[in-house]
Amino acid sequence: MIWLKNLEAITHGGPPGKCPHCGGSHTDCSFSVVVPEKRLGYGDIWCEDCKHACHISRIEVLPGFRTGHTPPEGLVYS
Ligand SMILES: [Zn+2]
């Protein structure tokens, strides 16, 4: 998974970091909680520069994660 380092950075409470596709620093992320008792949900990490994105279908949404935000249109999932 090419976005693994970005996911690790988020898990450690930081910003997503550089885009693994273009090296740009305009990355963003958003998560949604589906099962509140277990904080289980899904999320997306994307790059505003090249529009590449990664969907995480199952993840524990930690308290510091950014939620309630919709990814922009036209992302390319890889
Ligand atoms: Zn990029």
Side-chain angles (χ1 to χ4, degrees), residues 28-59:
D28 206 347
C29 61
S30 180
F31 295 87
S32 296
V33 177
V34 178
V35 187
E37 309 90 87
K38 297 180 178 175
R39 295 204 63 85
L40 272 181
Y42 61 91
D44 296 272
I45 309 171
W46 66 90
C47 172
E48 295 282 357
D49 292 332
C50 69
K51 302 297 180 190
H52 276 97
C54 169
H55 182 74
I56 301 126
S57 58
R58 191 177 172 87
I59 188 170

PDB file of all heavy atoms in Angstrom, residues 28-59:
ATOM      1  N   ASP A  28      -4.412  15.622   2.571  1.00  0.00           N
ATOM      2  CA  ASP A  28      -5.461  15.805   3.566  1.00  0.00           C
ATOM      3  C   ASP A  28      -6.105  14.443   3.831  1.00  0.00           C
ATOM      4  O   ASP A  28      -5.874  13.487   3.084  1.00  0.00           O
ATOM      5  CB  ASP A  28      -6.499  16.807   3.040  1.00  0.00           C
ATOM      6  CG  ASP A  28      -7.222  17.521   4.182  1.00  0.00           C
ATOM      7  OD1 ASP A  28      -7.100  17.081   5.339  1.00  0.00           O
ATOM      8  OD2 ASP A  28      -7.916  18.513   3.909  1.00  0.00           O
ATOM      9  N   CYS A  29      -6.910  14.379   4.864  1.00  0.00           N
ATOM     10  CA  CYS A  29      -7.557  13.113   5.174  1.00  0.00           C
ATOM     11  C   CYS A  29      -8.864  13.368   5.901  1.00  0.00           C
ATOM     12  O   CYS A  29      -9.097  14.448   6.432  1.00  0.00           O
ATOM     13  CB  CYS A  29      -6.655  12.231   6.041  1.00  0.00           C
ATOM     14  SG  CYS A  29      -6.243  12.971   7.625  1.00  0.00           S
ATOM     15  N   SER A  30      -9.716  12.362   5.869  1.00  0.00           N
ATOM     16  CA  SER A  30     -10.971  12.451   6.590  1.00  0.00           C
ATOM     17  C   SER A  30     -11.447  11.053   6.943  1.00  0.00           C
ATOM     18  O   SER A  30     -11.256  10.106   6.171  1.00  0.00           O
ATOM     19  CB  SER A  30     -12.022  13.154   5.730  1.00  0.00           C
ATOM     20  OG  SER A  30     -13.233  13.229   6.445  1.00  0.00           O
ATOM     21  N   PHE A  31     -12.077  10.925   8.111  1.00  0.00           N
ATOM     22  CA  PHE A  31     -12.542   9.626   8.570  1.00  0.00           C
ATOM     23  C   PHE A  31     -13.981   9.725   9.045  1.00  0.00           C
ATOM     24  O   PHE A  31     -14.439  10.794   9.457  1.00  0.00           O
ATOM     25  CB  PHE A  31     -11.653   9.119   9.711  1.00  0.00           C
ATOM     26  CG  PHE A  31     -10.249   8.856   9.257  1.00  0.00           C
ATOM     27  CD1 PHE A  31      -9.310   9.879   9.255  1.00  0.00           C
ATOM     28  CD2 PHE A  31      -9.882   7.610   8.786  1.00  0.00           C
ATOM     29  CE1 PHE A  31      -8.014   9.645   8.807  1.00  0.00           C
ATOM     30  CE2 PHE A  31      -8.600   7.371   8.338  1.00  0.00           C
ATOM     31  CZ  PHE A  31      -7.661   8.390   8.346  1.00  0.00           C
ATOM     32  N   SER A  32     -14.687   8.593   8.983  1.00  0.00           N
ATOM     33  CA  SER A  32     -16.062   8.524   9.460  1.00  0.00           C
ATOM     34  C   SER A  32     -16.203   7.316  10.372  1.00  0.00           C
ATOM     35  O   SER A  32     -15.724   6.230  10.046  1.00  0.00           O
ATOM     36  CB  SER A  32     -17.031   8.378   8.285  1.00  0.00           C
ATOM     37  OG  SER A  32     -16.970   9.520   7.471  1.00  0.00           O
ATOM     38  N   VAL A  33     -16.857   7.527  11.500  1.00  0.00           N
ATOM     39  CA  VAL A  33     -17.100   6.434  12.436  1.00  0.00           C
ATOM     40  C   VAL A  33     -18.415   5.757  12.062  1.00  0.00           C
ATOM     41  O   VAL A  33     -19.434   6.414  11.876  1.00  0.00           O
ATOM     42  CB  VAL A  33     -17.164   6.959  13.887  1.00  0.00           C
ATOM     43  CG1 VAL A  33     -17.484   5.826  14.849  1.00  0.00           C
ATOM     44  CG2 VAL A  33     -15.848   7.619  14.267  1.00  0.00           C
ATOM     45  N   VAL A  34     -18.358   4.421  11.957  1.00  0.00           N
ATOM     46  CA  VAL A  34     -19.555   3.650  11.619  1.00  0.00           C
ATOM     47  C   VAL A  34     -20.082   2.910  12.842  1.00  0.00           C
ATOM     48  O   VAL A  34     -21.285   2.805  13.058  1.00  0.00           O
ATOM     49  CB  VAL A  34     -19.244   2.642  10.480  1.00  0.00           C
ATOM     50  CG1 VAL A  34     -20.476   1.799  10.163  1.00  0.00           C
ATOM     51  CG2 VAL A  34     -18.762   3.378   9.240  1.00  0.00           C
ATOM     52  N   VAL A  35     -19.165   2.386  13.661  1.00  0.00           N
ATOM     53  CA  VAL A  35     -19.549   1.659  14.872  1.00  0.00           C
ATOM     54  C   VAL A  35     -18.975   2.425  16.069  1.00  0.00           C
ATOM     55  O   VAL A  35     -17.835   2.201  16.470  1.00  0.00           O
ATOM     56  CB  VAL A  35     -18.992   0.208  14.847  1.00  0.00           C
ATOM     57  CG1 VAL A  35     -19.537  -0.594  16.025  1.00  0.00           C
ATOM     58  CG2 VAL A  35     -19.313  -0.483  13.540  1.00  0.00           C
ATOM     59  N   PRO A  36     -19.750   3.359  16.651  1.00  0.00           N
ATOM     60  CA  PRO A  36     -19.226   4.244  17.698  1.00  0.00           C
ATOM     61  C   PRO A  36     -18.682   3.496  18.919  1.00  0.00           C
ATOM     62  O   PRO A  36     -17.681   3.920  19.503  1.00  0.00           O
ATOM     63  CB  PRO A  36     -20.434   5.102  18.088  1.00  0.00           C
ATOM     64  CG  PRO A  36     -21.346   5.039  16.917  1.00  0.00           C
ATOM     65  CD  PRO A  36     -21.136   3.686  16.297  1.00  0.00           C
ATOM     66  N   GLU A  37     -19.303   2.360  19.309  1.00  0.00           N
ATOM     67  CA  GLU A  37     -18.846   1.623  20.497  1.00  0.00           C
ATOM     68  C   GLU A  37     -17.397   1.176  20.344  1.00  0.00           C
ATOM     69  O   GLU A  37     -16.640   1.095  21.303  1.00  0.00           O
ATOM     70  CB  GLU A  37     -19.707   0.370  20.738  1.00  0.00           C
ATOM     71  CG  GLU A  37     -21.188   0.606  20.748  1.00  0.00           C
ATOM     72  CD  GLU A  37     -21.778   0.451  19.348  1.00  0.00           C
ATOM     73  OE1 GLU A  37     -22.138  -0.657  18.947  1.00  0.00           O
ATOM     74  OE2 GLU A  37     -21.872   1.491  18.672  1.00  0.00           O
ATOM     75  N   LYS A  38     -17.010   0.857  19.103  1.00  0.00           N
ATOM     76  CA  LYS A  38     -15.638   0.372  18.854  1.00  0.00           C
ATOM     77  C   LYS A  38     -14.805   1.408  18.104  1.00  0.00           C
ATOM     78  O   LYS A  38     -13.665   1.133  17.751  1.00  0.00           O
ATOM     79  CB  LYS A  38     -15.698  -0.926  18.038  1.00  0.00           C
ATOM     80  CG  LYS A  38     -16.391  -2.062  18.761  1.00  0.00           C
ATOM     81  CD  LYS A  38     -16.411  -3.314  17.901  1.00  0.00           C
ATOM     82  CE  LYS A  38     -17.071  -4.477  18.638  1.00  0.00           C
ATOM     83  NZ  LYS A  38     -17.201  -5.657  17.768  1.00  0.00           N
ATOM     84  N   ARG A  39     -15.378   2.576  17.827  1.00  0.00           N
ATOM     85  CA  ARG A  39     -14.722   3.616  17.035  1.00  0.00           C
ATOM     86  C   ARG A  39     -14.245   3.092  15.682  1.00  0.00           C
ATOM     87  O   ARG A  39     -13.265   3.550  15.114  1.00  0.00           O
ATOM     88  CB  ARG A  39     -13.546   4.258  17.789  1.00  0.00           C
ATOM     89  CG  ARG A  39     -13.979   5.023  19.034  1.00  0.00           C
ATOM     90  CD  ARG A  39     -12.976   6.084  19.432  1.00  0.00           C
ATOM     91  NE  ARG A  39     -12.811   7.130  18.425  1.00  0.00           N
ATOM     92  CZ  ARG A  39     -13.586   8.211  18.313  1.00  0.00           C
ATOM     93  NH1 ARG A  39     -14.576   8.405  19.142  1.00  0.00           N
ATOM     94  NH2 ARG A  39     -13.354   9.098  17.377  1.00  0.00           N
ATOM     95  N   LEU A  40     -14.965   2.080  15.165  1.00  0.00           N
ATOM     96  CA  LEU A  40     -14.604   1.526  13.869  1.00  0.00           C
ATOM     97  C   LEU A  40     -15.231   2.351  12.756  1.00  0.00           C
ATOM     98  O   LEU A  40     -16.376   2.795  12.857  1.00  0.00           O
ATOM     99  CB  LEU A  40     -15.113   0.079  13.747  1.00  0.00           C
ATOM    100  CG  LEU A  40     -14.204  -1.020  14.258  1.00  0.00           C
ATOM    101  CD1 LEU A  40     -14.872  -2.370  14.035  1.00  0.00           C
ATOM    102  CD2 LEU A  40     -12.842  -0.982  13.583  1.00  0.00           C
ATOM    103  N   GLY A  41     -14.463   2.528  11.704  1.00  0.00           N
ATOM    104  CA  GLY A  41     -14.988   3.294  10.590  1.00  0.00           C
ATOM    105  C   GLY A  41     -14.117   3.149   9.367  1.00  0.00           C
ATOM    106  O   GLY A  41     -13.402   2.160   9.209  1.00  0.00           O
ATOM    107  N   TYR A  42     -14.181   4.154   8.513  1.00  0.00           N
ATOM    108  CA  TYR A  42     -13.404   4.135   7.279  1.00  0.00           C
ATOM    109  C   TYR A  42     -12.848   5.538   7.053  1.00  0.00           C
ATOM    110  O   TYR A  42     -13.204   6.480   7.773  1.00  0.00           O
ATOM    111  CB  TYR A  42     -14.281   3.704   6.095  1.00  0.00           C
ATOM    112  CG  TYR A  42     -15.437   4.619   5.827  1.00  0.00           C
ATOM    113  CD1 TYR A  42     -15.294   5.697   4.942  1.00  0.00           C
ATOM    114  CD2 TYR A  42     -16.664   4.453   6.465  1.00  0.00           C
ATOM    115  CE1 TYR A  42     -16.356   6.565   4.717  1.00  0.00           C
ATOM    116  CE2 TYR A  42     -17.715   5.298   6.239  1.00  0.00           C
ATOM    117  CZ  TYR A  42     -17.564   6.361   5.361  1.00  0.00           C
ATOM    118  OH  TYR A  42     -18.599   7.220   5.138  1.00  0.00           O
ATOM    119  N   GLY A  43     -12.011   5.653   6.063  1.00  0.00           N
ATOM    120  CA  GLY A  43     -11.466   6.974   5.806  1.00  0.00           C
ATOM    121  C   GLY A  43     -10.788   7.076   4.456  1.00  0.00           C
ATOM    122  O   GLY A  43     -10.677   6.085   3.720  1.00  0.00           O
ATOM    123  N   ASP A  44     -10.370   8.262   4.141  1.00  0.00           N
ATOM    124  CA  ASP A  44      -9.672   8.532   2.895  1.00  0.00           C
ATOM    125  C   ASP A  44      -8.489   9.460   3.176  1.00  0.00           C
ATOM    126  O   ASP A  44      -8.580  10.351   4.008  1.00  0.00           O
ATOM    127  CB  ASP A  44     -10.591   9.243   1.891  1.00  0.00           C
ATOM    128  CG  ASP A  44     -11.759   8.369   1.468  1.00  0.00           C
ATOM    129  OD1 ASP A  44     -11.597   7.610   0.499  1.00  0.00           O
ATOM    130  OD2 ASP A  44     -12.808   8.444   2.123  1.00  0.00           O
ATOM    131  N   ILE A  45      -7.404   9.207   2.453  1.00  0.00           N
ATOM    132  CA  ILE A  45      -6.259  10.119   2.447  1.00  0.00           C
ATOM    133  C   ILE A  45      -6.081  10.548   0.995  1.00  0.00           C
ATOM    134  O   ILE A  45      -6.173   9.710   0.094  1.00  0.00           O
ATOM    135  CB  ILE A  45      -4.966   9.428   2.919  1.00  0.00           C
ATOM    136  CG1 ILE A  45      -5.182   8.697   4.240  1.00  0.00           C
ATOM    137  CG2 ILE A  45      -3.831  10.443   3.068  1.00  0.00           C
ATOM    138  CD1 ILE A  45      -4.001   7.811   4.628  1.00  0.00           C
ATOM    139  N   TRP A  46      -5.853  11.839   0.763  1.00  0.00           N
ATOM    140  CA  TRP A  46      -5.706  12.259  -0.624  1.00  0.00           C
ATOM    141  C   TRP A  46      -4.713  13.398  -0.755  1.00  0.00           C
ATOM    142  O   TRP A  46      -4.305  14.017   0.240  1.00  0.00           O
ATOM    143  CB  TRP A  46      -7.053  12.657  -1.219  1.00  0.00           C
ATOM    144  CG  TRP A  46      -7.660  13.874  -0.606  1.00  0.00           C
ATOM    145  CD1 TRP A  46      -7.479  15.167  -0.999  1.00  0.00           C
ATOM    146  CD2 TRP A  46      -8.568  13.915   0.515  1.00  0.00           C
ATOM    147  NE1 TRP A  46      -8.221  16.006  -0.184  1.00  0.00           N
ATOM    148  CE2 TRP A  46      -8.892  15.277   0.741  1.00  0.00           C
ATOM    149  CE3 TRP A  46      -9.129  12.926   1.342  1.00  0.00           C
ATOM    150  CZ2 TRP A  46      -9.745  15.665   1.761  1.00  0.00           C
ATOM    151  CZ3 TRP A  46      -9.985  13.318   2.352  1.00  0.00           C
ATOM    152  CH2 TRP A  46     -10.285  14.673   2.549  1.00  0.00           C
ATOM    153  N   CYS A  47      -4.371  13.670  -2.014  1.00  0.00           N
ATOM    154  CA  CYS A  47      -3.437  14.736  -2.332  1.00  0.00           C
ATOM    155  C   CYS A  47      -4.183  15.798  -3.136  1.00  0.00           C
ATOM    156  O   CYS A  47      -4.811  15.475  -4.151  1.00  0.00           O
ATOM    157  CB  CYS A  47      -2.275  14.168  -3.151  1.00  0.00           C
ATOM    158  SG  CYS A  47      -1.174  15.442  -3.798  1.00  0.00           S
ATOM    159  N   GLU A  48      -4.129  17.024  -2.669  1.00  0.00           N
ATOM    160  CA  GLU A  48      -4.818  18.119  -3.359  1.00  0.00           C
ATOM    161  C   GLU A  48      -4.095  18.504  -4.652  1.00  0.00           C
ATOM    162  O   GLU A  48      -4.679  19.135  -5.533  1.00  0.00           O
ATOM    163  CB  GLU A  48      -4.905  19.350  -2.451  1.00  0.00           C
ATOM    164  CG  GLU A  48      -5.745  19.172  -1.198  1.00  0.00           C
ATOM    165  CD  GLU A  48      -7.243  19.250  -1.470  1.00  0.00           C
ATOM    166  OE1 GLU A  48      -7.635  19.498  -2.621  1.00  0.00           O
ATOM    167  OE2 GLU A  48      -8.017  19.037  -0.510  1.00  0.00           O
ATOM    168  N   ASP A  49      -2.824  18.133  -4.766  1.00  0.00           N
ATOM    169  CA  ASP A  49      -2.046  18.522  -5.943  1.00  0.00           C
ATOM    170  C   ASP A  49      -2.315  17.600  -7.137  1.00  0.00           C
ATOM    171  O   ASP A  49      -2.653  18.063  -8.216  1.00  0.00           O
ATOM    172  CB  ASP A  49      -0.551  18.520  -5.608  1.00  0.00           C
ATOM    173  CG  ASP A  49      -0.193  19.641  -4.622  1.00  0.00           C
ATOM    174  OD1 ASP A  49      -0.894  20.673  -4.630  1.00  0.00           O
ATOM    175  OD2 ASP A  49       0.767  19.473  -3.860  1.00  0.00           O
ATOM    176  N   CYS A  50      -2.147  16.277  -6.958  1.00  0.00           N
ATOM    177  CA  CYS A  50      -2.300  15.347  -8.090  1.00  0.00           C
ATOM    178  C   CYS A  50      -3.597  14.562  -8.025  1.00  0.00           C
ATOM    179  O   CYS A  50      -3.906  13.804  -8.939  1.00  0.00           O
ATOM    180  CB  CYS A  50      -1.109  14.395  -8.172  1.00  0.00           C
ATOM    181  SG  CYS A  50      -1.020  13.191  -6.827  1.00  0.00           S
ATOM    182  N   LYS A  51      -4.373  14.719  -6.936  1.00  0.00           N
ATOM    183  CA  LYS A  51      -5.693  14.100  -6.777  1.00  0.00           C
ATOM    184  C   LYS A  51      -5.652  12.594  -6.588  1.00  0.00           C
ATOM    185  O   LYS A  51      -6.678  11.924  -6.701  1.00  0.00           O
ATOM    186  CB  LYS A  51      -6.630  14.455  -7.961  1.00  0.00           C
ATOM    187  CG  LYS A  51      -6.846  15.952  -8.157  1.00  0.00           C
ATOM    188  CD  LYS A  51      -7.532  16.585  -6.958  1.00  0.00           C
ATOM    189  CE  LYS A  51      -7.754  18.078  -7.157  1.00  0.00           C
ATOM    190  NZ  LYS A  51      -8.196  18.750  -5.932  1.00  0.00           N
ATOM    191  N   HIS A  52      -4.471  12.030  -6.362  1.00  0.00           N
ATOM    192  CA  HIS A  52      -4.431  10.616  -6.020  1.00  0.00           C
ATOM    193  C   HIS A  52      -4.948  10.450  -4.599  1.00  0.00           C
ATOM    194  O   HIS A  52      -4.790  11.337  -3.755  1.00  0.00           O
ATOM    195  CB  HIS A  52      -3.008  10.071  -6.146  1.00  0.00           C
ATOM    196  CG  HIS A  52      -2.655   9.662  -7.536  1.00  0.00           C
ATOM    197  ND1 HIS A  52      -1.973  10.498  -8.384  1.00  0.00           N
ATOM    198  CD2 HIS A  52      -2.923   8.527  -8.224  1.00  0.00           C
ATOM    199  CE1 HIS A  52      -1.821   9.871  -9.551  1.00  0.00           C
ATOM    200  NE2 HIS A  52      -2.385   8.678  -9.489  1.00  0.00           N
ATOM    201  N   ALA A  53      -5.572   9.296  -4.349  1.00  0.00           N
ATOM    202  CA  ALA A  53      -6.197   9.083  -3.053  1.00  0.00           C
ATOM    203  C   ALA A  53      -6.150   7.621  -2.662  1.00  0.00           C
ATOM    204  O   ALA A  53      -5.907   6.737  -3.489  1.00  0.00           O
ATOM    205  CB  ALA A  53      -7.644   9.556  -3.089  1.00  0.00           C
ATOM    206  N   CYS A  54      -6.379   7.390  -1.391  1.00  0.00           N
ATOM    207  CA  CYS A  54      -6.382   6.042  -0.846  1.00  0.00           C
ATOM    208  C   CYS A  54      -7.601   5.902   0.050  1.00  0.00           C
ATOM    209  O   CYS A  54      -7.859   6.762   0.884  1.00  0.00           O
ATOM    210  CB  CYS A  54      -5.103   5.821  -0.045  1.00  0.00           C
ATOM    211  SG  CYS A  54      -5.099   4.332   0.929  1.00  0.00           S
ATOM    212  N   HIS A  55      -8.354   4.821  -0.150  1.00  0.00           N
ATOM    213  CA  HIS A  55      -9.512   4.563   0.704  1.00  0.00           C
ATOM    214  C   HIS A  55      -9.153   3.483   1.712  1.00  0.00           C
ATOM    215  O   HIS A  55      -8.622   2.442   1.335  1.00  0.00           O
ATOM    216  CB  HIS A  55     -10.708   4.131  -0.145  1.00  0.00           C
ATOM    217  CG  HIS A  55     -11.939   3.889   0.675  1.00  0.00           C
ATOM    218  ND1 HIS A  55     -12.668   4.926   1.221  1.00  0.00           N
ATOM    219  CD2 HIS A  55     -12.545   2.752   1.066  1.00  0.00           C
ATOM    220  CE1 HIS A  55     -13.675   4.409   1.904  1.00  0.00           C
ATOM    221  NE2 HIS A  55     -13.620   3.096   1.833  1.00  0.00           N
ATOM    222  N   ILE A  56      -9.416   3.751   2.975  1.00  0.00           N
ATOM    223  CA  ILE A  56      -9.178   2.767   4.029  1.00  0.00           C
ATOM    224  C   ILE A  56     -10.549   2.267   4.463  1.00  0.00           C
ATOM    225  O   ILE A  56     -11.327   3.011   5.047  1.00  0.00           O
ATOM    226  CB  ILE A  56      -8.421   3.396   5.219  1.00  0.00           C
ATOM    227  CG1 ILE A  56      -7.079   3.948   4.733  1.00  0.00           C
ATOM    228  CG2 ILE A  56      -8.191   2.378   6.321  1.00  0.00           C
ATOM    229  CD1 ILE A  56      -6.853   5.381   5.069  1.00  0.00           C
ATOM    230  N   SER A  57     -10.836   1.027   4.144  1.00  0.00           N
ATOM    231  CA  SER A  57     -12.205   0.541   4.312  1.00  0.00           C
ATOM    232  C   SER A  57     -12.534   0.179   5.758  1.00  0.00           C
ATOM    233  O   SER A  57     -13.695   0.133   6.136  1.00  0.00           O
ATOM    234  CB  SER A  57     -12.460  -0.652   3.394  1.00  0.00           C
ATOM    235  OG  SER A  57     -11.536  -1.677   3.660  1.00  0.00           O
ATOM    236  N   ARG A  58     -11.508  -0.083   6.562  1.00  0.00           N
ATOM    237  CA  ARG A  58     -11.780  -0.484   7.944  1.00  0.00           C
ATOM    238  C   ARG A  58     -10.633  -0.014   8.823  1.00  0.00           C
ATOM    239  O   ARG A  58      -9.494  -0.439   8.649  1.00  0.00           O
ATOM    240  CB  ARG A  58     -11.913  -2.012   8.004  1.00  0.00           C
ATOM    241  CG  ARG A  58     -12.442  -2.541   9.312  1.00  0.00           C
ATOM    242  CD  ARG A  58     -12.587  -4.055   9.202  1.00  0.00           C
ATOM    243  NE  ARG A  58     -12.909  -4.662  10.470  1.00  0.00           N
ATOM    244  CZ  ARG A  58     -14.149  -4.812  10.931  1.00  0.00           C
ATOM    245  NH1 ARG A  58     -15.159  -4.423  10.207  1.00  0.00           N
ATOM    246  NH2 ARG A  58     -14.377  -5.367  12.094  1.00  0.00           N
ATOM    247  N   ILE A  59     -10.916   0.829   9.773  1.00  0.00           N
ATOM    248  CA  ILE A  59      -9.864   1.364  10.634  1.00  0.00           C
ATOM    249  C   ILE A  59     -10.480   1.806  11.960  1.00  0.00           C
ATOM    250  O   ILE A  59     -11.669   2.170  12.021  1.00  0.00           O
ATOM    251  CB  ILE A  59      -9.149   2.562   9.942  1.00  0.00           C
ATOM    252  CG1 ILE A  59      -7.920   2.996  10.731  1.00  0.00           C
ATOM    253  CG2 ILE A  59     -10.121   3.743   9.737  1.00  0.00           C
ATOM    254  CD1 ILE A  59      -7.045   4.005   9.982  1.00  0.00           C
TER     255      ILE A  59
END
